[in-house]
């Protein structure tokens, strides 16, 4: 599994937009960076305002990997990577995300440009940011370009947790805690300096983030939740859990049990599919622990009674345990 930045493939289409930002530039500060050895990692903390830009220049040999990651105080902060003599971006942060591993197509000087998106620049907004840059070899002994589909947390220790972070470095915020034995879906690994970091999806509650690779071992695919009979089909992604929920589709019908499946995408964020007796299925979307929509787009009301969401859609009533949404 090769690591690909989010929304990979849009860089070519947006290269014209990216370099159009040059017309806004009143101040482009340029700082050359020197790397004494392969695998060295440098962190630059800086600030820009409005149309200011920071260009970090690095000399790279053909096929070496330019590894960059960004954290900032303003969500409109991005970086691009390009050869210094080219107007075509090799990586466009506005479409591909805050983490990049770019293979240099030729030997030469490359520029990592940090900037505010045009609308934020025009408003004169400010951003403080921390950008990490490293130069690595294209192949690694532990096959970072490949890897298993699933990991298991191992070696953390009893009573100790592994931090799930929102970026591939200890300078990024902690967004979750993991324990030995937790199952993770591998979304690709990279080197931050000499340390391996892996992008993962936590199978128990669906959150995505980064963890230190030294605490991961290869694992088999988690067991698919057992079929409970008339099961929903969902959206094609395997359910994180299946169960039955108390349901009634008509006022004159007593509460019974409907089979449901859930796909989680972070604490309190989930899609629940419920198989109905006529063969159809209903979806209820939860965000931040609250039901926000149904499919097909029916009006609904909900209440929270103890640890259960009671969702009323017309004459139908569904009782969904909170544990089904949040996992554990």
């Amino acid at each position: 599994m090769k690591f690909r930045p989010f929304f990979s493939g849009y860089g070519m289409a947006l290269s014209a937009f990216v370099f159009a930002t040059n017309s806004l530039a009143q101040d482009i500060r340029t700082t050359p960076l020197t790397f004494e050895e392969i695998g060295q990692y440098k962190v630059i903390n800086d600030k820009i305002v409005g149309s200011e830009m920071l260009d970090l220049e690095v000399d790279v040999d053909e096929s070496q990997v330019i590894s960059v990651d960004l954290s900032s105080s303003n969500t409109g902060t991005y970086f691009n990577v390009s050869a210094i003599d080219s107007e075509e971006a090799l990586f466009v942060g506005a479409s591909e995300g805050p983490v990049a591993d770019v293979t240099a197509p030729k030997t030469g000087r490359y520029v990592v440009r940090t900037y505010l998106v045009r609308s934020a620049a025009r408003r004169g907004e400010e951003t403080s940011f921390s950008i990490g840059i490293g130069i690595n070899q294209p192949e690694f002994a532990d096959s970072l370009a490949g890897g298993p589909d699933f990991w298991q947390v191992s070696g953390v220790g009893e009573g100790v947790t592994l931090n799930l972070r929102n970026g591939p470095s200890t300078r990024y915020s902690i967004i979750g805690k993991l324990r030995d034995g937790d199952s993770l879906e591998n979304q690709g690994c990279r080197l931050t300096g000499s340390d391996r970091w892996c992008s993962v999806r936590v199978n128990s509650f669906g959150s995505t983030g980064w963890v230190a690779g030294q605490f991961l071992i290869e694992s088999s695919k988690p067991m698919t939740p057992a079929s409970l009979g008339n099961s929903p089909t969902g959206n094609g992604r395997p359910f994180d859990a299946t169960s039955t929920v108390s349901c009634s589709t008509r006022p004159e019908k007593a509460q019974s049990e409907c089979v449901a499946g859930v796909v989680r995408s972070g604490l309190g964020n989930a899609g629940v599919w419920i198989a109905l007796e006529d063969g159809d299925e209903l979806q209820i979307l939860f965000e931040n622990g609250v039901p926000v929509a149904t499919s097909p787009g029916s009006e609904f009301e909900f209440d929270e009674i103890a640890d259960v969401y009671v969702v009323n859609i017309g004459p139908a009533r569904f009782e969904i345990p909170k544990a089904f949404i949040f996992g554990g």
Side-chain angles (χ1 to χ4, degrees):
M1 178 187 294
K2 186 174 181 181
F3 175 73
R4 296 180 183 275
F6 300 119
F7 305 109
S8 176
Y10 287 85
M12 294 286 287
L14 291 183
S15 60
F17 160 78
V18 171
F19 286 93
T21 58
N22 286 345
S23 63
L24 293 175
Q26 301 299 317
D27 181 13
I28 300 178
R29 289 184 286 118
T30 301
T31 300
L33 297 181
T34 301
F35 291 85
E36 290 76 18
E37 57 185 16
I38 296 300
Q40 188 177 2
Y41 180 71
K42 296 186 176 184
V43 177
I44 292 85
N45 297 303
D46 211 320
K47 179 176 72 174
I48 56 177
V49 180
S51 57
E52 293 178 346
M53 301 181 186
L54 176 65
D55 281 2
L56 300 173
E57 296 183 354
V58 294
D59 293 319
V60 183
D61 290 339
E62 181 179 352
S63 297
Q64 288 182 338
V65 177
I66 309 166
S67 296
V68 187
D69 56 270
L70 173 72
S71 62
S72 67
S73 62
N74 187 318
T75 57
T77 313
Y78 299 103
F79 70 87
N80 304 326
V81 181
S82 62
I84 202 165
D85 59 354
S86 173
E87 292 190 357
E88 184 175 284
L90 299 171
F91 179 90
V92 180
S95 62
E96 298 182 82
V99 180
D101 291 295
V102 178
T103 301
K106 62 182 180 179
T107 297
R109 178 159 288 196
Y110 290 79
V111 60
V112 178
R113 170 169 293 176
T114 305
Y115 61 96
L116 279 165
V117 71
R118 179 177 294 183
S119 57
R122 284 176 171 166
R123 290 192 295 267
E125 293 183 13
E126 176 179 305
T127 180
S128 297
F129 60 90
S130 172
I131 188 164
I133 300 181
I135 306 299
N136 295 301
Q137 297 289 4
E139 297 292 340
F140 308 101
D142 56 356
S143 299
L144 293 185
D149 291 331
F150 295 92
W151 299 113
Q152 180 177 303
V153 178
S154 177
V156 177
E158 186 176 354
V160 183
T161 57
L162 174 64
N163 293 327
L164 178 72
R165 296 181 180 271
N166 66 358
S169 167
T170 56
R171 77 179 196 276
Y172 287 91
S173 300
I174 297 171
I175 57 176
K177 299 283 188 178
L178 305 173
R179 293 178 173 81
D180 275 345
D182 282 348
S183 177
L184 312 173
E185 183 179 334
N186 182 16
Q187 297 185 335
C189 299
R190 54 105 70 168
L191 287 179
T192 300
S194 59
D195 298 324
R196 183 177 71 171
W197 286 81
C198 296
S199 176
V200 299
R201 178 182 183 272
V202 185
N203 291 320
S204 58
F205 50 84
S207 288
T208 58
W210 294 82
V211 296
Q214 70 189 84
F215 297 105
L216 303 179
I217 60 173
E218 184 172 354
S219 176
S220 58
K221 182 178 180 179
M223 293 183 62
T224 302
S227 173
L228 299 175
N230 180 29
S231 297
T233 58
N235 62 355
R237 186 181 184 94
F239 290 126
D240 292 311
T242 56
S243 184
T244 58
V245 299
S246 180
C247 65
S248 175
T249 56
R250 298 189 302 274
E252 69 277 9
K253 182 176 174 57
Q255 289 289 121
S256 59
E257 298 295 315
C258 292
V259 179
V262 61
V263 175
R264 303 180 183 115
S265 58
L267 290 176
N269 300 324
V272 174
W273 283 262
I274 302 172
L276 306 178
E277 58 186 8
D278 59 4
D280 290 336
E281 62 185 56
L282 168 75
Q283 182 188 6
I284 304 176
L285 177 66
F286 287 77
E287 292 182 357
N288 299 316
V290 176
V292 295
T294 68
S295 178
S298 306
E299 293 186 1
F300 68 94
E301 296 178 347
F302 78 94
D303 197 3
E304 297 182 35
I305 302 177
D307 293 329
V308 175
Y309 295 103
V310 178
V311 182
N312 295 292
I313 305 172
R317 174 187 173 99
F318 304 91
E319 299 179 5
I320 304 170
K322 289 185 178 180
F324 195 57
I325 304 302
F326 287 86

